[in-house]
């Protein structure tokens, strides 16, 4: 358990330094744009995240199979890296082409007049297809220091790009997206640097049936990850669609800050995933790592949400300026919703590592509640924020009940035996 806590501390410090740069990026962009343009950029960014939501499973899938192969043959690790990079690059090209074909529809839905921001957004999405492959391999090799530095590098260079292109050259939305591309390119270089000893290894033949096994495992992972990404980003897109530009800009500001309650503790899932997967393979049902991760997540995410509840308007004014002060009440609600989502996500990662996907039904119920009610009630950004809170609360309560039910079932089986 001491090793588990040490690994969590390393990841917490390194990856949250990346989260800090992400928010510094948003501060630079927010202070350099009007609220309407800032809302437009974040709607584009959230759209990209939603479309690339399936990619969230790639690091975990890479980590799981890398951890298996490294025990027997580094040649298998090398072969997995080569095959995965080739597949990711091909999918990136296809995704960009499909996005370009849908360009008029995307412009109309997001109310973006110029096609350039859409094309740049698609470029960021294409880069996001490739980046998770080497990053997940670092996790599977348990190179957590390199994993953390590589994760932080994307945000660091993105922030530096924002200073150059948005604040310095005043390129606006286009500059912010070019900065994102800069971050992805730099992060790829850093990831490959930490994997430099893998490339000289002679590739071995991958096991028969590997891709069928990967595909079967990925289905449940995909559904779960898409739902988390949707709940973390779709609200910004819906507010942009249903509300006025000023309201969308204020909501985007609150959402950017409120997501700290989710991203601050979410880095803990990297170590929990490996720990839970190992326990599953060993036939152990110990929940101590899960409870520790949930406790740390609730303390970090809930503590931030509490600060936002107490001084939301002050926080917004201090970070984004007086023009965004009206986003304070929205921040109080959104940060609470994101804190709940962070705790729920720890449960989701634990289930994923153990290949137990029944919880996806509760995820779907939460999303259905949010989307269904938003179709009828979307008069103000605050209404959407409360509906988001309700959907996540339902998801967390259902998943927790499912966990407790499975624990009781296991104990009954043990007693019966």
């Amino acid at each position: 358990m001491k090793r588990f806590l040490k690994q969590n501390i390393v990841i917490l410090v390194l990856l949250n330094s990346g989260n800090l740069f992400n928010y510094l990026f948003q501060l630079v962009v927010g202070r350099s744009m009007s609220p309407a343009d800032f809302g437009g950029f974040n709607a584009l960014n959230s759209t990209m995240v939603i479309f690339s939501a399936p990619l969230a499973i790639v690091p975990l899938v890479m980590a799981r199979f890398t951890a298996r192969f490294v025990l027997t043959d580094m040649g298998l690790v090398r072969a997995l890296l080569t095959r995965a990079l080739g597949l990711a690059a091909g999918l990136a090209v296809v995704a960009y082409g499909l996005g370009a074909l849908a360009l008029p529809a995307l412009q109309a839905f997001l109310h973006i007049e110029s096609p350039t921001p859409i094309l740049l957004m698609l470029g960021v999405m294409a880069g996001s297809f490739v980046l998770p492959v080497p990053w997940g391999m670092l996790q599977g090799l348990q190179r957590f220091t390199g994993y953390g530095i590589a994760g932080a590098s994307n945000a660091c260079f993105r922030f530096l790009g924002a200073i150059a292109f948005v604040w310095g050259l005043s390129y606006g939305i286009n500059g912010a997206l070019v900065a994102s591309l800069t971050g992805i390119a730099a992060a790829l270089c850093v990831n490959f640097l930490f994997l430099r000893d893998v490339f000289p290894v002679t590739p071995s033949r991958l096991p028969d049936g590997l891709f069928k096994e990967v595909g079967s495992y990925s289905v449940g992972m995909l559904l779960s990850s898409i739902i988390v990404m949707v709940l973390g980003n779709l609200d910004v897109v819906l507010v942009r669609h249903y509300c006025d530009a000023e309201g969308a800009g204020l909501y985007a500001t609150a959402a950017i800050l409120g997501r700290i309650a989710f991203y601050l503790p979410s880095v803990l899932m990297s170590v929990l995933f490996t720990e839970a997967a190992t326990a599953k393979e060993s036939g152990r049902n110990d929940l101590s790592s899960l409870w520790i991760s949930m406790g740390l997540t609730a303390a970090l995410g809930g503590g931030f949400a509490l600060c936002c509840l107490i001084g939301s308007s002050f926080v917004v004014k201090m970070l984004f300026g007086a023009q965004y002060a009206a986003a304070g009440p929205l921040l109080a609600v959104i940060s609470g919703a994101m804190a709940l989502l962070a705790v729920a996500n720890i449960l989701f990662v634990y289930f994923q590592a153990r290949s137990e996907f029944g919880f996806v039904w509760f995820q779907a119920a939460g999303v259905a509640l949010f989307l269904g009610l938003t179709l009828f009630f979307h008069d103000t950004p605050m209404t959407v924020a409360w509906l988001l809170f309700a959907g996540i609360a339902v998801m967390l309560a259902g998943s927790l009940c499912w966990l407790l039910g499975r624990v009781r079932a296991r104990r009954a089986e043990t007693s019966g035996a």
Side-chain angles (χ1 to χ4, degrees):
M1 196 52 61
K2 182 178 179 180
R3 176 187 57 83
F4 179 75
L5 289 173
K6 182 179 179 181
Q7 290 174 335
N8 273 292
I9 291 172
V10 170
I11 291 298
L12 190 66
V13 172
L14 290 175
L15 291 189
N16 275 325
S17 67
N19 288 335
L20 175 61
F21 280 115
N22 277 329
Y23 282 95
L24 289 175
F25 167 84
Q26 292 291 346
L27 287 176
V28 171
V29 171
R31 285 182 173 271
S32 303
M33 296 182 185
S34 66
D37 284 346
F38 188 55
F41 164 71
N42 277 287
L44 282 168
N45 193 55
S46 293
T47 301
M48 183 272 296
V49 171
I50 290 170
F51 284 158
S52 60
L55 304 178
I57 71 171
V58 175
L60 296 178
V61 173
M62 288 293 297
R64 177 171 179 175
F65 289 94
T66 297
R68 176 193 296 179
F69 292 156
V70 74
L71 296 175
T72 56
D73 183 5
M74 280 298 295
L76 291 173
V77 175
R78 174 67 169 83
L80 178 64
L81 178 61
T82 302
R83 187 69 64 87
L85 283 175
L87 180 61
L91 291 175
V93 173
V94 173
Y96 191 93
L98 292 175
L101 291 175
L103 184 62
L106 289 171
Q107 284 185 254
F109 184 82
L110 296 173
H111 310 298
I112 303 289
E113 294 183 2
S114 172
T116 303
I118 305 288
L119 294 173
L120 288 172
M121 177 201 74
L122 293 173
V124 175
M125 183 177 68
S128 298
F129 273 72
V130 180
L131 184 57
V133 172
W135 197 48
M137 182 159 283
L138 285 176
Q139 181 184 353
L141 293 171
Q142 297 189 40
R143 300 177 181 180
F144 285 112
T145 299
Y147 175 80
I149 294 174
S153 64
N154 188 353
C156 177
F157 284 94
R158 186 180 181 223
F159 165 67
L160 295 175
I163 292 178
F165 300 120
V166 182
W167 181 72
L169 298 175
S170 301
Y171 285 169
I173 296 177
N174 291 339
L177 292 166
V178 170
S180 297
L181 285 170
T182 302
I184 289 175
L188 280 171
C189 293
V190 174
N191 275 276
F192 291 143
L193 176 65
F194 281 101
L195 291 172
R196 63 187 181 277
D197 61 314
V198 176
F199 288 100
V201 177
T202 302
S204 300
R205 185 175 183 274
L206 292 172
D208 294 334
L210 174 65
F211 290 100
K212 181 179 180 181
E213 182 183 356
V214 171
S216 177
Y217 176 72
S218 297
V219 171
M221 294 279 289
L222 182 61
L223 291 175
S224 175
S225 298
I226 287 176
I227 290 172
V228 173
M229 288 293 184
V230 164
L231 280 178
N233 294 277
L234 186 58
D235 56 327
V236 176
V237 178
L238 291 175
V239 170
R240 175 73 180 182
H241 179 68
Y242 286 120
C243 302
D244 60 88
E246 188 74 15
L250 294 174
Y251 191 96
T253 303
I256 291 301
L257 291 174
R259 286 174 188 162
I260 294 176
F262 176 79
Y263 289 114
L264 178 64
S266 66
V267 298
L268 300 174
M269 71 177 189
S270 302
V271 181
L272 174 65
F273 181 87
T274 304
E275 190 75 17
T278 302
K280 172 69 173 180
E281 295 300 323
S282 303
R284 293 185 285 110
N285 292 313
D286 182 23
L287 295 174
S288 59
S289 60
L290 172 63
W291 298 132
I292 290 173
S293 297
M294 287 185 68
L296 292 172
T297 298
L300 291 170
F304 178 80
L306 180 60
C307 291
C308 291
L309 179 63
I310 295 173
S312 57
S313 296
F314 171 77
V315 172
V316 173
K317 289 173 65 176
M318 180 181 67
L319 295 177
F320 282 89
Q323 62 178 330
Y324 292 98
L330 287 167
L331 174 60
V333 178
I334 295 173
S335 62
M338 291 297 104
L340 291 181
L341 184 60
V343 175
N345 197 43
I346 290 295
L347 278 172
F348 303 156
V349 168
Y350 174 79
F351 293 140
Q352 290 167 356
R354 296 181 60 85
S355 301
E356 299 171 350
F357 292 103
F359 72 97
V360 174
W361 291 105
F362 299 103
Q363 285 187 313
V367 171
L369 178 66
F370 171 57
L371 289 177
L373 292 177
T374 303
L375 289 175
F376 297 99
F377 306 103
H378 49 251
D379 294 338
T380 67
M382 181 59 79
T383 301
V384 177
W386 276 114
L387 293 178
L388 177 68
F389 188 99
I392 293 173
V394 167
M395 182 185 302
L396 173 58
S399 298
L400 188 56
C401 289
W402 190 68
L403 170 68
L404 296 177
R406 291 190 65 82
V407 169
R408 280 194 289 268
R410 290 171 190 161
R411 288 176 179 173
E413 290 176 2
T414 303
S415 299

